[in-house]
Amino acid sequence: MSNLFIIGNGFDLSHGIKSSYRDFREYLQEQYDPTKHEVYDIPTINWEHTYDYSDIADFWFNVFDANNDDIEWSKFENSLYGQSYGDCFSEMVMDRDGEENLFKTVGNNGPLSRSIVDIVPFINRFFTEWINQIEIDDVKPRKEFQELIDRNKSIFFSTNYTLTLEKVYNISKVCHIHGKIGEDFIFGHGEDESLYEKYEKENIGTEYYLSHIDKVLRKDVQKALKTHRSFFELLGKRGIEKIYSYGFSYGKADLIYVQEIAKSLSRNVIWYLNSFDDANGRNSAFEYSIRACGFRGTFDRFS
C-alpha cells in the first residue's frame, strides 16, 4: 500500500517560495515597469508582426489588477474568465437624430476586441518567464513533511510548475499535471458557460472575440488527463491507504483530477487535510468538494 500526496501552490508558499499572484504582479512591475491606467490602450501587432513587449505587459498588468485583488494563484486563474477591459471599447455611437447606431458601434468594437485576441498569447509568455525565474536553491525542507513521506513508496501529484519536491526533497518521480519548468505549462480558468450575451449587452460588437478569449484561457484539463493517464492507472494498481493534501485549493478546474483519483480509492482510505485550513474555515468546503467527487472514505487532519 502507498500514500498519495496532493501538492498545490500553498506547499511552495509555506516554504517561502515567491509563487503567489502578488509575486507575479511584482515580476511584471520590475521587468516591464507598467503604468497604472484608468483607461487601457490596446497594443497592436502590425502585419510585420512587430510589437512592444512593454506596451503589452502594461495592458495586461492593468487588466489583471482590475480583475483580481487576491494573492491566491487559483483565484487569479479564475479571474481570467469574463475579464473586464475597462473603457477599452467604444460607447454607443449616436446618429444625427439621437438614435443608437448599432452598425457603427459594432464597427468600432469588433476590431478593438480582435486586437485583444492578438495579444492573449503573451499572457502565457509573461507567465512562463516568471515561473522560470523563481528561485528555490536556498529553500530548506520542512521536517514535518520529511517525516510524512517515504521516497520509495509515496506517490506525488502536483499542480505546481516548480521542482520543489525534486530539488528540496530529492523525490525522483512526481506527476506535474500542469507541466513543470522546462515544459509547456497548462493554466487558466475552469468555466464552460459562454458569456456571449453578457458581452453583447455591455459592449455590442465585442461578444464574438471576448467569448473566444474565454475559450482560449480555459485550462485544458482533458489534455492534462490524457498526458498523465498512466499516473491515474498506477493509483489503482498500487493501492492507496492515505492521502495528504498540502496547499491544494480544490479549485473548480482541478476537481476533475480529484474525481479521477477517487475512482481508484476504497472506502478504507483516509484523506488528510492540513489543519492550517481549519482556522480559515476552508477544510469544511474542501471536504464537501471531495465528497462530491466521489470519495467514500474518511477525513482527518495533519499539521
Side-chain angles (χ1 to χ4, degrees):
M1 300 292 284
S2 301
N3 293 338
L4 171 64
F5 290 82
I6 301 177
I7 304 297
N9 191 40
F11 178 79
D12 277 2
L13 293 175
S14 73
H15 286 74
I17 297 171
K18 294 186 175 182
S19 58
S20 70
Y21 166 63
R22 179 182 294 168
D23 297 309
F24 181 37
R25 185 181 187 277
E26 289 179 359
Y27 169 79
L28 292 176
Q29 283 184 306
E30 293 172 3
Q31 193 72 17
Y32 295 101
D33 192 26
T35 302
K36 190 74 173 176
H37 299 291
E38 292 295 329
V39 179
Y40 322 145
D41 292 324
I42 304 173
T44 57
I45 299 176
N46 63 27
W47 65 273
E48 295 177 325
H49 296 284
T50 59
Y51 39 76
D52 187 313
Y53 284 129
S54 294
D55 286 347
I56 297 172
D58 189 286
F59 175 81
W60 285 120
F61 177 86
N62 280 280
V63 171
F64 295 158
D65 253 16
N67 288 275
N68 195 334
D69 59 2
D70 199 289
I71 66 170
E72 188 176 348
W73 175 251
S74 67
K75 293 184 179 179
F76 168 69
E77 287 185 291
N78 291 343
S79 76
L80 296 175
Y81 169 70
Q83 294 184 110
S84 169
Y85 296 95
D87 295 324
C88 285
F89 305 116
S90 171
E91 295 182 357
M92 183 64 69
V93 177
M94 311 300 288
D95 61 24
R96 297 178 188 176
D97 299 323
E99 298 292 330
E100 295 179 346
N101 191 320
L102 296 181
F103 181 78
K104 287 187 177 180
T105 304
V106 169
N108 289 339
N109 284 338
L112 289 171
S113 55
R114 177 66 179 85
S115 294
I116 298 177
V117 171
D118 290 338
I119 60 173
V120 166
F122 288 88
I123 297 177
N124 187 65
R125 175 190 170 89
F126 297 137
F127 174 67
T128 301
E129 287 178 351
W130 169 60
I131 291 293
N132 285 334
Q133 60 82 52
I134 291 177
E135 295 286 345
I136 65 171
D137 291 343
D138 296 328
V139 174
K140 304 299 182 184
R142 296 177 66 96
K143 182 180 178 181
E144 61 271 23
F145 185 71
Q146 283 183 310
E147 293 174 348
L148 283 176
I149 64 177
D150 182 328
R151 292 181 181 84
N152 296 318
K153 293 183 178 180
S154 298
I155 301 174
F156 298 89
F157 173 91
S158 177
T159 57
N160 296 346
Y161 311 98
T162 55
L163 302 178
T164 310
L165 290 169
E166 292 89 337
K167 292 189 174 182
V168 179
Y169 292 95
N170 297 315
I171 296 167
S172 59
K173 293 183 179 181
V174 179
C175 174
H176 287 276
I177 192 70
H178 295 150
K180 61 185 178 182
I181 289 175
E183 299 177 351
D184 291 334
F185 299 149
I186 294 174
F187 80 108
H189 65 82
E191 300 296 333
D192 291 314
E193 183 180 356
S194 171
L195 298 178
Y196 188 96
E197 292 182 359
K198 171 181 178 291
Y199 295 136
E200 183 179 40
K201 182 178 180 180
E202 292 177 349
N203 294 288
I204 191 168
T206 68
E207 56 275 6
Y208 175 80
Y209 289 115
L210 295 191
S211 296
H212 175 71
I213 290 172
D214 284 342
K215 291 178 182 179
V216 170
L217 292 178
R218 190 176 190 279
K219 185 180 292 182
D220 193 349
V221 294
Q222 292 301 328
K223 177 182 178 181
L225 285 173
K226 184 177 180 180
T227 301
H228 297 279
R229 175 53 54 192
S230 60
F231 171 82
F232 296 99
E233 293 173 350
L234 173 67
L235 297 182
K237 296 175 182 178
R238 290 280 292 272
I240 302 300
E241 182 178 10
K242 299 175 182 178
I243 296 177
Y244 292 88
S245 173
Y246 197 147
F248 185 72
S249 59
Y250 296 91
K252 181 177 180 180
D254 297 332
L255 290 181
I256 191 169
Y257 309 135
V258 180
Q259 293 172 8
E260 288 297 313
I261 290 170
K263 290 177 183 178
S264 65
L265 304 178
S266 74
R267 294 179 180 272
N268 298 321
V269 174
I270 304 174
W271 199 301
Y272 288 86
L273 299 172
N274 197 312
S275 58
F276 172 82
D277 287 311
D278 279 323
N280 54 33
R282 299 207 305 172
N283 276 337
S284 295
F286 292 165
E287 289 185 6
Y288 179 85
S289 295
I290 296 167
R291 285 283 186 222
C293 289
F295 177 62
R296 299 169 296 166
T298 58
F299 292 103
D300 207 334
R301 301 289 186 267
F302 77 100
S303 58

